[in-house]
Amino acid sequence: MELVNGRPADCAGRLEKEIRCYDLLDSLGIDFRRIDHEAAMTMEACEEIDRVLDAVICKNLLLCNRQCTEFYLLMLPGDKHFKTSVLSKEIGSSRLSFAAPEYMEKFLDPGSVSVLGLMNDRENHVQLLMDEDVLKGEYIGCHPCINTSSLRLRTADLMEKILPAVHHEPRIVTLPQE
């Protein structure tokens, strides 16, 4: 795995949703680093990627309330665990659970759950929840809506440029380390 600057020089064979992520970052003038790799299906698989990126790799979880009327994208450090009951109490939403895959497809785009997928949630169906520990590092790692590439972004760029551009304001939560 090699850390490279910016988007691929040749996007042939890349999925449109990945290219849209690069287009968004480029349109906002955001410098980023990229690693292409085998599909990362687990947090364990992300550990090596994490070392090369030298960034906080986040778990991104799409959650919903029991009635499936409120949806949340939770970002937390990859090594942090949480209890839905604690988060439910903090945000005042009853009985949080993992949202069904069809909601991910409907709101964020099919594929890998990523903060960059919020660019597809134009009607703001999904509230972004960020654990405060995500904000402690200078860099954050995320997928460009696919799990075969990972990006290193400045945390400040995410907060000050990307999220405003995609019209999502994060709610910062405090999840205890288990």
Side-chain angles (χ1 to χ4, degrees):
M1 287 187 293
E2 181 184 353
L3 190 62
V4 296
N5 291 328
R7 71 188 304 141
D10 180 7
C11 287
R14 303 270 178 165
L15 296 177
E16 180 61 31
K17 61 185 172 181
E18 178 185 7
I19 296 168
R20 283 195 319 266
C21 288
Y22 301 138
D23 290 345
L24 171 67
L25 297 173
D26 288 348
S27 74
L28 297 172
I30 294 174
D31 290 324
F32 62 95
R33 305 296 175 265
R34 187 188 86 254
I35 296 175
D36 295 328
H37 49 75
E38 296 295 320
M41 304 298 283
T42 65
M43 288 311 297
E44 291 77 24
C46 290
E47 287 178 9
E48 183 180 353
I49 298 164
D50 208 3
R51 283 189 292 277
V52 176
L53 275 183
D54 193 26
V56 174
I57 296 284
C58 294
K59 273 192 267 195
N60 297 281
L61 307 172
L62 186 61
L63 306 170
C64 65
N65 64 355
R66 183 174 54 158
Q67 301 83 4
C68 295
T69 57
E70 296 175 359
F71 297 88
Y72 306 93
L73 175 60
L74 174 63
M75 293 179 67
L76 68 159
D79 62 350
K80 195 169 194 179
H81 300 282
F82 81 105
K83 292 184 179 179
T84 56
S85 61
V86 173
L87 181 60
S88 292
K89 184 176 181 180
E90 182 166 347
I91 66 171
S93 181
S94 64
R95 297 193 184 190
L96 288 177
S97 63
F98 294 101
E102 58 262 22
Y103 291 112
M104 180 181 74
E105 293 177 20
K106 181 177 180 180
F107 300 135
L108 301 179
D109 209 345
S112 170
V113 178
S114 171
V115 67
L116 293 178
L118 291 172
M119 71 181 181
N120 301 308
D121 181 30
R122 292 179 183 91
E123 296 179 14
N124 289 78
H125 293 286
V126 179
Q127 167 68 54
L128 176 60
L129 305 175
M130 297 177 80
D131 180 75
E132 65 183 358
D133 290 339
V134 169
L135 302 174
K136 291 180 179 176
E138 181 179 359
Y139 297 102
I140 190 165
C142 66
H143 293 300
C145 295
I146 59 163
N147 66 357
T148 54
S149 290
S150 295
L151 307 180
R152 180 175 78 184
L153 308 168
R154 293 180 60 81
T155 304
D157 285 341
L158 175 65
M159 300 301 290
E160 298 165 11
K161 295 178 182 179
I162 298 169
L163 293 177
V166 299
H167 309 289
H168 280 77
E169 186 174 328
R171 179 171 177 182
I172 308 306
V173 296
T174 303
L175 300 172
Q177 185 68 31
E178 295 284 319

